[in-house]
Amino acid sequence: MSALKVLPDEPIIPKKPAVDPSTLGYRDLLRGPFWQRIPAYAEVTEEQFLDHNWQAKHTITNPTKLLAAVQALVSPSFIEDAELGFKRAPMSLRVSPYLLSLIDWTNPYEDPLRIQFIPMGSKLRPDHPKLDLDSLHEQADAPVPGLTHRYPDKALFLALNTCPVYCRFCTRSYAVGIDTEEVEKVSLKVSSERWARAFEYIRSRPELEDIVISGGDSYQLRAQQIEEIGDALLAIPNVRRMRFATKGPAVMPQKLLTDHAWTDALTRVVEKGRKLHKEVVLHTHFNHPNEITGITEDAMMKLMERGITVRNQSVLQRGVNDSPETMTKLVKRMGHLNVHAYYVYVHDLVKGVEDLRTSVDTAIFIEKHVRGSTAGFNTPTFVVDAPGGGGKRDVHSYEYYDRETGISVYQAPSVKAGQFFLYFDPLHQLSTAVQRRWADPAEHEQMTSAAIAKAKERTR
Ligand SMILES: *Cc1c(COP(=O)(O)O)cnc(C)c1O
Ligand code: SF4
């Protein structure tokens, strides 16, 4: 008889207190016909709701239609406030029925999804004085339109300029979506000629091993275009790694389940890459646990079965995910679906969304709470994408950070040696005295050069 049958005679003494069941809530995913809470979707069946064509066809791009769809659920003052917000917002509008159904319309001001996609006139704040469009200088680092070569061995290929959703906080509001009254966009339309020039450049640079395919958004590429880009890049000997970037799974997971042509095309590129010993993965963009439902789970499990690695990049946003509880829940919920939390970005300096930004200090605080809560490989690095083209820097790696003026100073020796890159915390988190200094352009130079001088003292 096996010795394993013998029961231990000593009881096991737990060293940790029993787990509070509420901390396991990240595993409880929304299922059932949740969309039927929206009057316009009350009759919509599961089959319809899962159909990506239905989702795309019913995606709302017009503020009046959006507000009409939820009119019965919200107050007239909310409608007025949103109308004012749309009038001032520099982004185009695009909201899928999936997203619309996940917003809690009984409390729309606080809802983390509403905050990301629907601007409120009453919440908008003046831009930081140091903000300029394309604060990351993606265009300045572009040898070919839509190809940014900033880092030594990797490049960012912007294949097209449309997305399945338009986010208020988008860093690429200089290029993405249609022109609005506020912003005239740079053209990054699908063009085989532009693509060919990008591929030619990548081939001409032996150091380029890693290509991010973004936009816009890979979800908007046709199945055939996914393969066209995939095949072209896999055929370049120096390319070893590529990632298709898409917000899609967060706003329309249905596509992965019912757009068989698209998912199969991605799978073929991944498999072809694997045979060539090249890595092809999907990068997505979940920002809040509410974006992840049972439908997302089914979609991610399908990718898991096909051996497709998924990593996530989030944007830290005030009122959306800027608390340890929410960020930990997001990270654990993603880990539960085999989605690796890769980055959390401190919000870039983007026009018209000052209400969404948080400080470097907030990012450091949240990171401290998230780290340790789950596997290290599911723990995101919190980064600042240094304005001026320094690239992503670990938030903690500043040379100097003046919490008073909200100026942090970074260096990027492997990207642009010798330069200093400044990030600016949002004004509304600074003292009134310092806010007054920022209101006076003559003071800016003084504050920034003081911060750089301190950074120089400390730099090694
Ligand atoms: C983010 C980014 C990349 C990829 O950087 P990783 O740190 O490897 O994710 C490449 N090029 C540009 C311009 C980028 O902004
Ligand atoms: S999906 Fe990405 S690229 Fe498109 S608007 Fe949102 S953040 Fe910008």
Side-chain angles (χ1 to χ4, degrees):
M1 282 275 116
S2 152
L4 286 173
K5 276 193 78 180
V6 180
L7 287 171
D9 45 14
E10 298 214 13
I12 298 171
I13 316 257
K15 302 279 182 180
K16 283 172 91 61
V19 69
D20 169 358
S22 76
T23 62
L24 302 178
Y26 67 88
R27 297 176 188 163
D28 302 333
L29 300 174
L30 186 61
R31 289 204 176 257
F34 56 85
W35 57 89
Q36 292 178 356
R37 294 181 300 205
I38 306 294
Y41 309 142
E43 309 288 321
V44 173
T45 63
E46 179 165 22
E47 193 187 349
Q48 283 175 306
F49 198 74
L50 287 181
D51 178 358
H52 73 103
N53 283 320
W54 187 90
Q55 287 287 332
K57 196 167 151 227
H58 290 85
T59 285
I60 301 177
T61 55
N62 170 323
T64 313
K65 283 194 183 149
L66 180 116
L67 296 174
V70 298
Q71 199 157 22
L73 306 171
V74 298
S75 68
S77 66
F78 173 84
I79 300 270
E80 255 171 57
D81 199 356
E83 278 167 349
L84 188 63
F86 283 126
K87 240 171 102 183
R88 296 195 190 149
M91 277 302 294
S92 315
L93 175 75
R94 182 171 277 178
V95 173
S96 63
Y98 175 77
L99 263 186
L100 193 82
S101 313
L102 291 175
I103 293 174
D104 177 6
W105 292 103
T106 64
N107 190 12
Y109 275 100
E110 309 283 315
D111 187 89
L113 275 69
R114 194 287 299 158
I115 296 173
Q116 295 180 69
F117 303 103
I118 303 171
M120 292 286 114
S122 66
K123 298 284 177 192
L124 300 180
R125 294 170 187 268
D127 289 331
H128 194 285
K130 301 299 276 184
L131 182 149
D132 59 357
L133 217 55
D134 183 21
S135 74
L136 305 183
H137 287 218
E138 287 186 341
Q139 295 173 79
D141 283 333
V144 172
L147 187 82
T148 302
H149 184 187
R150 166 172 306 147
Y151 298 96
D153 75 348
K154 54 196 176 186
L156 170 67
F157 172 45
L158 305 177
L160 78 176
N161 61 356
T162 60
C163 305
V165 65
Y166 289 124
C167 314
R168 289 180 57 209
F169 50 89
C170 184
T171 297
R172 299 206 186 100
S173 52
Y174 68 84
V176 166
I178 51 171
D179 290 346
T180 63
E181 279 171 42
E182 291 285 322
V183 182
E184 219 178 295
K185 316 277 178 182
V186 176
S187 177
L188 291 178
K189 296 206 168 70
V190 168
S191 140
S192 28
E193 203 207 309
R194 185 174 66 79
W195 288 7
R197 288 181 65 202
F199 301 149
E200 190 188 306
Y201 176 82
I202 295 167
R203 189 182 279 277
S204 77
R205 301 297 297 232
E207 74 273 33
L208 279 180
E209 295 192 343
D210 182 354
I211 310 298
V212 182
I213 303 137
S214 186
D217 193 292
S218 300
Y219 242 43
Q220 301 302 103
L221 291 167
R222 291 197 300 274
Q224 183 204 329
Q225 294 171 325
I226 293 278
E227 287 196 80
E228 200 179 310
I229 294 172
D231 289 349
L233 291 175
L234 286 175
I236 299 174
N238 44 294
V239 173
R240 307 288 308 160
R241 295 177 288 283
M242 50 204 256
R243 359 175 172 164
F244 284 96
T246 172
K247 175 108 183 134
V251 300
M252 206 190 282
Q254 289 88 343
K255 186 179 172 88
L256 296 171
L257 296 167
T258 58
D259 187 350
H260 302 294
W262 195 91
T263 312
D264 290 349
L266 177 68
T267 307
R268 274 197 293 275
V269 177
V270 171
E271 284 172 355
K272 189 168 179 179
R274 194 177 294 133
K275 291 213 176 76
L276 294 166
H277 306 154
K278 299 184 179 198
E279 184 190 62
V280 182
V281 305
L282 195 70
H283 273 209
T284 189
H285 181 179
F286 293 105
N287 284 330
H288 191 278
N290 290 4
E291 292 158 13
I292 301 173
T293 63
I295 301 174
T296 324
E297 179 174 39
D298 296 344
M300 293 301 111
M301 291 312 120
K302 180 167 177 174
L303 298 184
M304 177 78 186
E305 283 169 23
R306 292 177 177 212
I308 302 178
T309 298
V310 184
R311 302 192 194 109
N312 187 76
Q313 309 186 182
S314 299
V315 179
L316 190 61
Q317 294 167 80
R318 218 162 101 90
V320 174
N321 53 15
D322 64 336
S323 74
E325 297 73 28
T326 304
M327 191 54 82
T328 303
K329 186 172 181 183
L330 173 65
V331 162
K332 296 200 72 169
R333 183 164 280 183
M334 291 193 298
H336 194 58
L337 307 188
N338 305 308
V339 174
H340 304 291
Y342 174 44
Y343 279 143
V344 173
Y345 291 87
V346 173
H347 202 303
D348 292 330
L349 289 146
V350 177
K351 208 167 145 61
V353 291
E354 203 59 5
D355 57 310
L356 291 178
R357 288 206 302 129
T358 61
S359 62
V360 164
D361 190 50
T362 302
I364 290 171
F365 169 75
I366 296 172
E367 197 273 352
K368 181 169 70 181
H369 286 263
V370 172
R371 187 161 297 278
S373 69
T374 190
F377 53 76
N378 278 336
T379 304
T381 305
F382 285 62
V383 294
V384 171
D385 208 343
K392 301 168 190 68
R393 309 306 302 170
D394 182 330
V395 280
H396 303 89
S397 70
Y398 51 77
E399 307 298 329
Y400 177 68
Y401 179 23
D402 185 341
R403 284 171 168 81
E404 192 86 355
T405 59
I407 301 176
S408 44
V409 186
Y410 291 88
Q411 287 212 296
S414 59
V415 184
K416 289 187 178 142
Q419 287 190 37
F420 290 96
F421 298 94
L422 273 55
Y423 181 81
F424 303 93
D425 288 347
L427 298 184
H428 55 78
Q429 282 178 304
L430 307 176
S431 70
T432 25
V434 173
Q435 290 192 25
R436 237 176 278 127
R437 290 188 75 188
W438 278 114
D440 176 4
E443 292 271 327
H444 297 177
E445 169 62 22
Q446 226 183 337
M447 288 190 280
T448 53
S449 41
I452 292 172
K454 288 275 192 199
K456 279 186 179 153
E457 274 173 30
R458 288 161 205 222
T459 303
R460 276 167 285 139

